[in-house]
């Protein structure tokens, strides 16, 4: 359910673009993101910082697209969001000596600090590359191709990155003690 909520604005943007074009899709994305934030606030009482940032970016760049009637603004939106996320990870690690990936995921798994740092750098690099890739597609192909890339290419690359990360992490994760003990006693 959380995944659907996270991708709700992107899915609606894609559908609206296919039905009515870039300007209607941009308006739909703005409204969908506002609804998403309102739903999360009502349902959980909490909205994550990056969700607020995402709302601000879509309102600013989507609003500029609609006001100037220039689709180039909305094409910059994913890049700005990627670079803000990557920049936050970089600044956190370099300036504040704080690993935000560890802060987000540390309660779910125990990893050596060197692995947490590798993950932080990997996500920083991923976001930097995704920002550049978005701009390359946005300004070297037609808008239809960019929207398809945003929907399928961006999500596909994110999924591939997460799967690669899971494979990398697999060698560092240990089974919980009780499961290991239960397996050992069943082999006797």
């Amino acid at each position: 359910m959380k995944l659907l909520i996270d991708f709700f604005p992107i899915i609606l943007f894609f559908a609206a673009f296919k039905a009515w074009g870039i300007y209607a899709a941009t308006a739909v994305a703005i409204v969908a993101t506002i609804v998403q934030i309102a739903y999360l606030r009502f349902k959980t009482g909490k909205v994550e910082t990056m969700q607020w940032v995402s709302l601000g970016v879509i309102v600013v760049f989507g609003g500029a697209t609609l006001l100037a009637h220039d689709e180039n603004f909305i094409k910059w939106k994913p890049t700005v969001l990627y670079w803000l996320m990557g920049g936050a990870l970089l600044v956190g690690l370099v300036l504040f000596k704080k690993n935000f990936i560890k802060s987000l995921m540390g309660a779910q798994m125990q990893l050596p600090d060197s692995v947490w740092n590798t993950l932080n750098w990997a996500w920083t690099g991923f976001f930097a590359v995704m920002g550049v890739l978005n701009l390359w597609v946005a300004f070297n192909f037609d808008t239809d191709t960019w929207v398809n890339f945003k929907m399928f290419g961006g999500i596909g690359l994110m999924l591939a990155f997460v799967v690669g990360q899971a494979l990398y992490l697999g060698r560092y994760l240990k089974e919980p003690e009780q499961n290991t003990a239960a397996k050992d006693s069943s082999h006797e």
Side-chain angles (χ1 to χ4, degrees), residues 23-92:
Y23 301 109
T26 300
V28 165
I30 294 169
V31 171
T33 305
I34 292 168
V35 168
Q36 173 194 43
I37 297 296
Y39 172 80
L40 289 170
R41 184 89 167 126
F42 175 75
K43 184 79 172 164
T44 66
K46 182 180 175 227
V47 178
E48 296 173 13
T49 303
M50 280 315 300
Q51 290 168 321
W52 285 114
V53 170
S54 183
L55 174 63
V57 170
I58 188 64
V59 167
V60 169
F61 285 85
T65 297
L66 296 176
L67 290 173
H69 209 69
D70 182 351
E71 66 187 41
N72 289 319
F73 289 107
I74 197 66
K75 289 179 177 180
W76 270 92
K77 181 250 172 202
T79 293
V80 169
L81 202 52
Y82 286 134
W83 287 352
L84 283 172
M85 290 187 288
L89 294 175
L90 180 67
V91 167

Side-chain angles (χ1 to χ4, degrees), residues 142-183:
D142 63 12
T143 302
D144 191 56
T145 301
W146 173 74
V147 170
N148 288 333
F149 170 76
K150 183 175 164 42
M151 179 66 186
F152 301 107
I155 292 173
L157 289 170
M158 178 74 74
L159 181 61
F161 182 77
V162 169
V163 168
Q165 175 182 283
L167 293 172
Y168 170 73
L169 289 177
R171 61 182 160 181
Y172 296 102
L173 298 176
K174 297 176 186 164
E175 289 187 47
E177 292 297 322
Q178 64 192 39
N179 289 349
T180 305
K183 284 182 184 176

